[in-house]
Amino acid sequence: MTNQQCNTSRIAGVQFTLYPMSDNFVDILLSALDEVDQSKVWKETDDVTTCVRGKIVHIFDVTKAIFLHAAKTGEHVAMTGTYSIGCPGDNEADVYMAESDAPVNAPQLANAPQRAGCKFAIHPLGREDYMDKIYEQIDLSKARGVDVSAAHYMTRLDGDVQAIFDAIQDAFEAVQQEVSHTTMTFTISANSPSNK
């Protein structure tokens, strides 16, 4: 095995899995993937996860849209995944990095309110002051209109799905500007019967 150093590529990516808790899970999964405009990202789906790569703005736009399309069915849905940037092996010259910064799914989701709960953990890799970076993002999340609470090994956010994704995107963007290799894990759930 070779020792790879984090490169300077600013292509970002996410591996996620969507879990519809319904007998109709196949239709929910396929329609969520089909209804979302993915023209500004590279995407690959297999039997375990979906991988989306491109600019930060677009990978968050796509994951938020897929989750919202699945949640609008009213069924209990959850999504879990890992965002990453600065990973060895990603290529600065990827064609999707030339896309404009305008998110393509945002206009269709502007009036799509949906409550959810989310837990996320940001991992600034290779920094001794990593806890300072994490605490800064927890404080900033409070300003995004979501309820923030502590959880073991993660931070919990409750509120509107769009505000939640905006908060975790802000956290990811802020940390990656200071730490070249940053990852973030998340799990988000909507329409859970536990909340009724």
Side-chain angles (χ1 to χ4, degrees), residues 37-180:
D37 186 336
Q38 301 163 49
S39 61
K40 291 190 174 185
V41 297
W42 178 94
K43 181 187 75 84
E44 181 178 80
T45 298
D46 61 26
D47 61 329
V48 180
T49 63
T50 295
C51 179
V52 177
R53 295 173 67 242
K55 287 185 171 182
I56 292 172
V57 64
H58 300 309
I59 66 169
F60 277 91
D61 178 60
V62 166
T63 50
K64 174 172 48 178
I66 289 171
F67 183 76
L68 277 169
H69 279 294
K72 76 180 181 184
T73 64
E75 299 287 352
H76 179 197
V77 294
M79 176 186 277
T80 187
T82 302
Y83 292 96
S84 179
I85 192 167
C87 184
D90 272 347
N91 188 342
E92 181 76 40
D94 192 289
V95 66
Y96 292 98
M97 295 305 286
E99 294 290 346
S100 72
D101 288 342
V104 291
N105 292 290
Q108 296 88 342
L109 302 176
N111 296 312
Q114 175 67 58
R115 299 280 305 168
C118 176
K119 291 185 179 180
F120 81 103
I122 196 152
H123 309 281
L125 301 176
R127 290 284 292 258
E128 291 183 12
D129 63 342
Y130 68 96
M131 283 308 298
D132 294 338
K133 303 298 172 206
I134 292 169
Y135 288 134
E136 287 171 12
Q137 299 318 308
I138 291 170
D139 289 341
L140 289 175
S141 293
K142 294 174 184 175
R144 292 301 269 162
V146 294
D147 296 325
V148 180
S149 56
H152 290 294
Y153 319 116
M154 304 186 111
T155 299
R156 181 170 178 130
L157 305 176
D158 288 280
D160 184 74
V161 167
Q162 299 202 54
I164 289 171
F165 272 97
D166 289 346
I168 65 174
Q169 180 178 346
D170 287 350
F172 186 75
E173 286 183 337
V175 172
Q176 67 88 29
Q177 289 175 9
E178 297 184 45
V179 183
S180 74

